[in-house]
Amino acid sequence: MTNKVYPVSDKWAENALLDAGTYEEKYRRSIDDPDAFWREEAQRIDWIKPFTEVKDTSFDQADFRINWFSDGTLNLSANCLDRHLAARGDQPAIYWEPDNPADEARTLTYRDLYEETCRFANALKANGVKKGDRVTIYLPMVPEAAVAMLACARIGAVHSVIFAGFSPEALGNRIEDCDSDIVITADEGKRGGKTIPLKANVDEALDHHAHVSRVIMLRHTGADVPMKQGRDIDWAEAVNNQPAECEPEEMNAEDPLFILYTSGSTGKPKGVLHTTGGYAVWTSMTHQYSFDYRAGDVYWCAADIGWITGHSYIVYGPFANGATNVMFEGVPNYPDFSRFWQIVDKYKVSTLYTAPTALRALMREGDQWLESTSRASLRVLGSVGEPINPEAWEWYYHKVGNGQCPIADTWWQTETGGHMITPLPGAHALKPGSASKPMFGVKLQIRDAEGTVLEGACEGGLVITDSWPGQMRGIYGDADRFFDTYFSAFKGTYFTSDGCRRDEDGYYWITGRMDDVINVSGHRMGTAEVESALVLHEHVSEAAVVAMPHEVKGQGIYCYVTTIAGVEGDDTLRKELIKLVRHEIGPIASPEVIQFAPALPKTRSGKIMRRILRKIAENDTSSLGDTSTLADPEVVDQLIAGRPDV
Ligand code: ATP
Ligand code: MG
């Protein structure tokens, strides 16, 4: 795909937190002597009762178990707040940037965040929430979302954060699944100048889930919304008169911290369960190393708090490290396509962590949107969520980062709790599109379909052969499904379901989900590869590729392509794209169909819902399955209507 290598610059080599040698040495030790390695790394967390045992894990069915630091106790909210008060009580913990730049921004210091969290924790208790209870959080990107999560962690309640963009149906199903009887919400959310009727959605969801006895509602936009007597109360009223101190609950390292439903791009949502101690160590460590985080950095993760990136890298990792976080309510293209860069300059952001989908959307609008900003404060860039195509990577690197900032292309999953494969700034030469090297303690293997372990440069399914502290501990309420889903494909290992290539330098390249492999006349190819070729064309903004049934070849390649602003997809472009793919990959990858689409169906976290694209490609649109997690369901109708007759 690309052979470009960007060596570590002299400046980075001299100043990096971890240089190449340190990475190698630390990685070795983490594999050879995990006990000693993790005993040391775990000291970044304040334990109430220190653990004696580090790791007690097995991926074998007979004695399957995952326990880390299991006789230690701690409170993660205290690690994120209390311990910072002495040294950084007055330091901003959150710079909150509203959707509309004309509205007032907010700054919360660590002391503010501590007090708000304690008040809300007391309010939860006053409303009957006890240790172990599940609390559903359905809030927009406002500081109170972090407050609510930290308040749960403080009292030992298990939070389940639901994207503020999810429909009442999706919300209701998730409330039901974890049997939660309290919901925290707001009157409305705001995104890109539009309002989202959160409270109305909750009301509708609860029509069918009557066991919820309490709704605490934050007044955010001030909209006039109906309140149900006896069930609903105002956030302000709930915290009124609550003391700004709340003793943190002593939690066992293996006590549940949260449930998070995966985005659902592949089917029925799973309630991924994470516990406390290992997750704390993992998120704090990866936040520090992956981003070369230093005290005083202004750090901005532009993800939504409703997905794992927000949990691990807006809340727990950065706050455990005492970071100053930018929290942004809005979207990259509102009021215009320079918003991200305006925010970077406004807060002097040193680290920006975002997703390829956002980058592609901005890139397609042209470089003029970067021109009025300098972005000179940026030091490290991060990418997450999908393979980043080299085209977008180069743009991010050269244009956004002015060629100065290493890109941490972080591969990980809701299930892994934090980063698993990523280049470390200053330690690794960068290869555009490669997630590069394993994080400490991560033991990778690539296997073929028969389960044979492949060596050297190879391509196959990515598995992880040993436990790491941030690993999920179960699927809420379904122990069997946990083992079956992840540990049954290849005995004794965790199967990621992602395809991966390892090159001659030992760099890892995620090729996409294994269910995205297309088999054309016996040749297997990853959809990401075809997509990367398509987006090389200057008129293409985004592409999604799926398999379609083909009488002769078994499967054919069906491409959905969105063009950049001002360009219409036509037959000329179609021919150019076919030629481009044949040139980049080979004639075997010649697309069968290219459908120009105004937009692609995406989940709230910005991931393309390939399941739906496959159905349309197969011309089987009678059963599209659960579409409630789509950001914009109308896109699907447009795609069905625009399907070429093939
Ligand atoms: P579901 O499991 O419900 O289908 P999901 O897999 O989209 O949802 P996440 O856990 O948020 O939910 O996403 C993890 C997946 O995202 C990975 O398995 C991988 O396919 C993809 N991914 C994340 N980061 C990267 C990256 N840096 N490079 C390549 N792929 C990535
Ligand atoms: Mg997944």
Side-chain angles (χ1 to χ4, degrees):
M1 293 207 286
T2 168
N3 302 315
K4 275 232 182 90
V5 180
Y6 290 84
V8 174
S9 70
D10 292 345
K11 197 167 128 212
W12 267 98
E14 280 158 31
N15 300 311
L17 196 59
L18 301 177
D19 61 18
T22 320
Y23 167 81
E24 286 303 333
E25 183 251 303
K26 257 174 122 61
Y27 182 74
R28 252 309 105 230
R29 206 153 52 84
S30 74
I31 302 302
D32 295 344
D33 192 355
D35 260 53
F37 180 88
W38 291 112
R39 193 173 293 281
E40 208 174 286
E41 272 307 329
Q43 301 316 315
R44 57 177 59 252
I45 292 301
D46 287 354
W47 300 86
I48 300 172
K49 184 164 130 311
F51 56 87
T52 60
E53 190 169 25
V54 174
K55 176 175 187 283
D56 172 35
T57 70
S58 163
F59 289 172
D60 289 325
Q61 186 152 27
D63 55 354
F64 182 75
R65 63 192 189 279
I66 302 171
N67 297 301
W68 283 88
F69 316 115
S70 61
D71 59 352
T73 64
L74 72 160
N75 183 281
L76 189 42
S77 141
N79 270 278
C80 289
L81 302 169
D82 310 30
R83 65 170 174 163
H84 301 316
L85 292 181
R88 40 179 119 254
D90 298 328
Q91 176 200 306
I94 299 179
Y95 286 128
W96 180 75
E97 174 70 14
D99 182 52
N100 186 336
D103 291 343
E104 205 175 324
R106 289 164 68 186
T107 300
L108 279 80
T109 63
Y110 268 95
R111 177 158 303 284
D112 297 333
L113 188 59
Y114 166 83
E115 290 181 355
E116 297 276 317
T117 298
C118 287
R119 277 201 196 89
F120 195 67
N122 287 323
L124 287 175
K125 286 205 263 190
N127 281 283
V129 179
K130 298 178 304 299
K131 180 174 174 175
D133 288 355
R134 276 81 51 218
V135 175
T136 298
I137 298 176
Y138 184 63
L139 282 170
M141 283 289 287
V142 291
E144 284 77 5
V147 167
M149 291 164 72
L150 291 165
C152 288
R154 195 161 191 90
I155 65 171
V158 181
H159 58 70
S160 163
V161 179
I162 313 292
F163 278 122
F166 276 164
S167 65
E169 188 196 342
L171 172 65
N173 289 335
R174 286 160 175 75
I175 292 172
E176 192 89 326
D177 185 85
C178 71
D179 197 17
S180 148
D181 47 32
I182 178 163
V183 178
I184 318 298
T185 191
D187 46 8
E188 292 178 328
K190 282 170 108 178
R191 267 172 76 91
K194 300 194 193 89
T195 53
I196 306 160
L198 296 179
K199 177 60 164 59
N201 287 352
V202 170
D203 288 342
E204 196 183 325
L206 297 192
D207 282 346
H208 311 283
H209 304 274
H211 66 87
V212 169
S213 54
R214 188 56 95 218
V215 175
I216 302 183
M217 189 195 81
L218 178 75
R219 296 215 177 255
H220 178 47
T221 63
D224 190 16
V225 291
M227 297 292 273
K228 189 168 166 185
Q229 266 290 304
R231 187 193 71 183
D232 304 348
I233 59 165
D234 264 27
W235 176 298
E237 194 184 312
V239 296
N240 189 26
N241 294 326
Q242 290 296 350
E245 305 263 291
C246 171
E247 190 60 33
E249 189 77 29
E250 180 171 354
M251 303 300 287
N252 187 274
E254 286 299 344
D255 280 339
L257 178 67
F258 65 83
I259 299 163
L260 181 60
Y261 291 89
T262 49
S263 65
S265 43
T266 54
K268 183 179 180 278
K270 301 181 277 266
V272 170
L273 179 75
H274 280 285
T275 59
T276 310
Y279 178 81
V281 172
W282 191 248
T283 53
S284 160
M285 182 190 84
T286 50
H287 171 257
Q288 185 190 6
Y289 294 155
S290 302
F291 301 128
D292 191 87
Y293 170 75
R294 316 290 178 100
D297 280 355
V298 176
Y299 163 87
W300 178 22
C301 169
D304 196 289
I305 214 147
W307 66 306
I308 190 68
T309 306
H311 284 57
S312 300
Y313 298 108
I314 296 178
V315 179
Y316 292 112
F319 288 144
N321 293 342
T324 293
N325 259 303
V326 174
M327 186 176 186
F328 177 39
E329 183 184 25
V331 292
N333 60 357
Y334 176 80
D336 64 40
F337 297 97
S338 69
R339 187 69 191 281
F340 262 25
W341 323 128
Q342 304 284 352
I343 295 174
V344 167
D345 278 5
K346 176 173 178 186
Y347 296 102
K348 305 263 177 300
V349 169
S350 30
T351 306
L352 171 64
Y353 189 29
T354 187
T357 178
L359 295 171
R360 285 192 298 265
L362 294 172
M363 182 170 73
R364 72 181 277 192
E365 300 299 327
D367 297 347
Q368 70 272 22
W369 297 105
L370 288 158
E371 277 158 17
S372 61
T373 60
S374 84
R375 304 164 315 287
S377 55
L378 287 173
R379 219 164 54 77
V380 176
L381 300 171
S383 173
V384 60
E386 300 167 83
I388 179 167
N389 49 295
E391 189 77 355
W393 193 101
E394 298 279 355
W395 186 78
Y396 200 22
Y397 184 78
H398 291 288
K399 298 290 167 55
V400 176
N402 297 317
Q404 301 295 312
C405 311
I407 296 178
D409 175 2
T410 61
W411 176 85
W412 58 298
Q413 308 178 301
T414 307
E415 294 89 335
T416 71
H419 303 157
M420 301 296 278
I421 308 181
T422 184
L424 300 182
H428 298 123
L430 302 172
K431 300 191 183 193
S434 170
S436 304
K437 295 279 186 169
M439 182 49 72
F440 305 127
V442 175
K443 281 164 92 170
L444 302 173
Q445 266 180 2
I446 295 181
R447 299 211 181 190
D448 69 12
E450 283 72 50
T452 309
V453 180
L454 305 177
E455 304 291 346
C458 59
E459 183 168 342
L462 181 66
V463 307
I464 305 169
T465 62
D466 200 358
S467 183
W468 62 99
Q471 183 170 24
M472 74 184 276
R473 300 298 198 266
I475 293 177
Y476 189 80
D478 199 342
D480 292 345
R481 191 174 169 205
F482 180 44
F483 186 88
D484 292 346
T485 308
Y486 302 103
F487 303 92
S488 62
F490 303 111
K491 268 205 176 70
T493 71
Y494 170 89
F495 178 45
T496 65
S497 292
D498 280 346
C500 185
R501 182 164 71 80
R502 185 170 50 214
D503 71 16
E504 47 295 338
D505 299 324
Y507 272 55
Y508 289 84
W509 301 72
I510 304 298
T511 53
R513 298 161 183 281
M514 289 296 268
D515 49 12
D516 290 341
V517 173
I518 304 182
N519 194 327
V520 183
S521 310
H523 296 267
R524 292 163 63 80
M525 62 196 99
T527 52
E529 208 175 346
V530 184
E531 287 161 10
S532 281
L534 289 166
V535 296
L536 285 177
H537 196 287
E538 58 175 352
H539 290 154
V540 172
S541 137
E542 194 159 39
V545 169
V546 297
M548 64 181 284
H550 191 284
E551 274 184 19
V552 180
K553 303 173 181 170
Q555 287 186 321
I557 297 177
Y558 193 112
C559 312
Y560 297 84
V561 170
T562 62
T563 50
I564 61 167
V567 172
E568 287 285 322
D570 59 13
D571 272 340
T572 314
L573 180 56
R574 201 171 264 125
K575 287 201 186 94
E576 285 173 19
L577 290 176
I578 292 174
K579 209 172 131 203
L580 180 61
V581 174
R582 291 173 66 99
H583 175 260
E584 288 293 314
I585 306 174
I588 191 68
S590 202
E592 219 61 50
V593 178
I594 293 182
Q595 175 174 355
F596 292 108
L600 299 173
K602 293 194 182 161
T603 64
R604 270 280 146 188
S605 59
K607 285 192 202 184
I608 297 165
M609 235 200 227
R610 292 166 190 283
R611 180 165 55 82
I612 289 178
L613 293 178
R614 270 195 296 271
K615 287 276 187 192
I616 297 172
E618 289 161 9
N619 212 358
D620 170 21
T621 49
S622 54
S623 56
L624 287 177
D626 182 11
T627 53
S628 63
T629 61
L630 276 176
D632 179 7
E634 264 174 40
V635 169
V636 176
D637 298 329
Q638 291 168 354
L639 287 176
I640 294 174
R643 185 184 189 280
D645 210 6
V646 285

